[in-house]
Amino acid sequence: MTDLAASPNPPDAVKQPQRPRLRDVLGPGLITGASDDDPSGIATYSQAGAQFGYTLGWIMLFSWPLMCAIQEISARIGRITGRGIAGNLKRHYPAPLLHAIVTLLVVANTINLGADLGAMAAALQLLIGGPQLLYVALFAVASALLEIFVRYARYVSVLKWLTVSLFAYVGVAFIVKLPWGIVAHAVVIPDITFNAAYLTVVVAILGTTISPYLFFWQAEEEAEDVKERAGAKPLIRAPEQAPSELRRIRWDTIVGMGFSNVVALFIILTTAATLHAHGVTDIQTSAQAAQALQPIAGRFAFLIFALGIIGTGLLALPVLAGSSAYALGEVFGWHVGLTRKPGRAKRFYGMIAAATLVGGALNFTPIDPIKALFWSAVINGIVAVPVMIMMMLLAHNPRAMGAFRLPRMLSIIGWLATATMALAAIGMFATFDA
């Protein structure tokens, strides 16, 4: 099934070379995928490796096509319509449902922001000492100022470079010398244990890799690209641009999500080869994982792991804050977009600042960050399923997508991802009292 018949490009069409360079293809998908390996995600993957060794490696291979499908559908919605997820849901679904979903999204994102800021500050404290709460404040203020005052195109290029920090976890895995035969078996052949502890970690990993804020961010970044690039238009108004743009989205998403899952796999493998192998099975935060590595894998591995936490945090903070601001902005009809100057989108940028600073402020309260992060995961698990269902219905809705049909295989995998997340949410609640 094809997306739409191509027609000759008019003079103002977005021109791309017949075989575009990889760096020109990679953008929203790469940044979205890399931001998924935030400090909170690192904590989840570290716990998986420490608690269960190599036996959970298979889930990163299993979740990759599911993640690719749902993120590609998110990106297609943004590029075809020129609007983000919230803007499209507002046009086609009841307002109370939209308001409930966006409220839960903002709450979960803010808690996640707080947890990430705390993890980054803890990692920096491990490296250089000093007051952790001061580092929380500095990271929060710096992230908000950069997102608000740095021009969009330049800021995106900075975020792309920050994805390099994720290679730290691949490097650590080679430092600790993995048993590759055992690793290959664990990744390819699932070793599933049907008990509460194992299933809880599986649900946590799925909730970390397939999160609502990623859907909202990638769709909005595709809509932003339409505003930023000369000659670019929503595909529903310029179908002649579709062949190259949809091809770019697919490769950007496949590479970005693949990069994300490979890094997550290496974190699981590293902590399995070090912490689990030496009986360290209770890891609650990414900073604890870094600290526990030092006596086992050495100072160099510890340094790389800790620096990676800071780099991935700097990448994830703007995605979390930005996805909240985009969603609220589209719900309430604000001027939104990182391509706009601060004076032209005051409420949008105000929301970015507020989300980041409130998240940082959570670290100054008696709230237990581990419990807060747990409830953030619960909220994400609740929100993901209805959002994915509505996105799938939206992607098949000709009133929203015009003549652009969702390819059959993409549709099948998208619904499979939705069903998997629904089962994961059910499993999460089933293990609460276990």
Side-chain angles (χ1 to χ4, degrees):
M1 244 179 157
T2 57
D3 296 301
L4 195 70
S7 58
N9 289 350
D12 65 342
V14 177
K15 297 183 184 299
Q16 293 190 358
Q18 194 72 21
R19 292 187 176 179
R21 291 171 296 182
L22 187 62
R23 71 179 185 184
D24 298 325
V25 170
L26 299 182
L30 175 66
I31 294 168
T32 303
S35 70
D36 192 33
D37 294 325
D38 66 331
S40 301
I42 292 167
T44 300
Y45 305 134
S46 298
Q47 176 61 42
Q51 190 171 356
F52 294 103
Y54 303 112
T55 60
L56 279 168
W58 66 269
I59 200 168
M60 303 320 304
L61 187 63
F62 169 77
S63 64
W64 179 41
L66 307 184
M67 194 179 179
C68 286
I70 205 68
Q71 290 301 143
E72 182 179 340
I73 291 167
S74 303
R76 288 169 69 98
I77 290 171
R79 188 64 182 84
I80 289 168
T81 67
R83 298 183 185 86
I85 300 296
N88 277 288
L89 296 183
K90 182 180 180 180
R91 293 167 66 90
H92 300 283
Y93 293 97
L97 179 60
L98 174 62
H99 291 166
I101 284 173
V102 170
T103 299
L104 290 172
L105 173 78
V106 171
V107 170
N109 284 3
T110 304
I111 295 172
N112 213 332
L113 275 163
D116 283 353
L117 284 164
M120 294 162 66
L124 186 58
Q125 185 183 49
L126 288 175
L127 292 172
I128 64 174
Q132 181 175 333
L133 291 180
L134 174 62
Y135 299 150
V136 168
L138 290 175
F139 279 131
V141 171
S143 178
L145 291 176
L146 286 170
E147 194 164 5
I148 293 169
F149 292 108
V150 176
R151 186 173 175 270
Y152 172 75
R154 183 173 297 172
Y155 193 57
V156 167
S157 69
V158 170
L159 293 181
K160 282 186 183 180
W161 278 109
L162 279 173
T163 63
V164 174
S165 64
L166 290 173
F167 282 110
Y169 299 106
V170 179
V172 172
F174 283 98
I175 291 171
V176 301
K177 298 179 181 177
L178 296 172
W180 290 107
I182 296 173
V183 167
H185 184 273
V187 171
V188 176
I189 302 175
D191 181 11
I192 301 173
T193 305
F194 290 97
N195 60 48
Y198 186 93
L199 294 176
T200 298
V201 175
V202 169
V203 169
I205 291 174
L206 288 172
T208 298
T209 54
I210 303 176
S211 295
Y213 77 89
L214 302 173
F215 315 155
F216 284 81
W217 173 264
Q218 190 165 353
E220 287 287 2
E221 289 309 283
E222 287 295 339
E224 287 280 332
D225 269 6
V226 172
K227 302 171 190 173
E228 182 74 2
R229 285 192 287 152
K233 297 176 183 176
L235 299 184
I236 202 166
R237 288 169 40 205
E240 68 280 348
Q241 297 178 7
S244 61
E245 287 298 294
L246 294 179
R247 186 166 54 248
R248 174 190 61 78
I249 285 171
R250 173 155 294 178
W251 282 109
D252 183 24
T253 304
I254 288 172
V255 173
M257 303 311 131
F259 182 43
S260 171
N261 280 27
V262 165
V263 169
L265 174 62
F266 272 100
I267 294 170
I268 292 173
L269 299 180
T270 295
T271 50
T274 54
L275 307 186
H276 180 80
H278 289 79
V280 181
T281 59
D282 186 17
I283 294 296
Q284 298 295 325
T285 69
S286 52
Q288 286 178 9
Q291 191 171 26
L293 271 177
Q294 185 166 350
I296 299 169
R299 176 74 178 171
F300 187 55
F302 156 74
L303 286 172
I304 295 175
F305 203 96
L307 287 170
I309 292 169
I310 297 169
T312 59
L314 291 171
L315 179 63
L317 295 181
V319 176
L320 285 160
S323 62
S324 293
Y326 278 122
L328 277 178
E330 289 197 322
V331 167
F332 294 112
W334 302 343
H335 292 298
V336 301
L338 294 171
T339 55
R340 295 179 183 271
K341 293 182 178 178
R344 301 283 295 171
K346 293 178 181 177
R347 285 177 288 189
F348 170 75
Y349 285 111
M351 181 59 204
I352 287 176
T356 307
L357 298 178
V358 170
L362 292 178
N363 290 273
F364 293 81
T365 70
I367 297 172
D368 184 339
I370 305 303
K371 289 183 179 177
L373 190 59
F374 170 79
W375 285 109
S376 170
V378 170
I379 294 170
N380 274 324
I382 294 170
V383 175
V385 178
V387 171
M388 291 169 75
I389 291 171
M390 289 188 289
M391 281 172 48
M392 292 303 299
L393 295 174
L394 186 69
H396 288 88
N397 186 345
R399 288 185 300 152
M401 306 292 280
F404 288 91
R405 299 184 299 274
L406 205 60
R408 185 183 298 276
M409 185 55 65
L410 185 59
S411 178
I412 291 170
I413 301 175
W415 281 117
L416 178 60
T418 305
T420 300
M421 289 304 294
L423 290 173
I426 293 169
M428 176 176 62
F429 287 110
T431 58
F432 272 178
D433 297 324

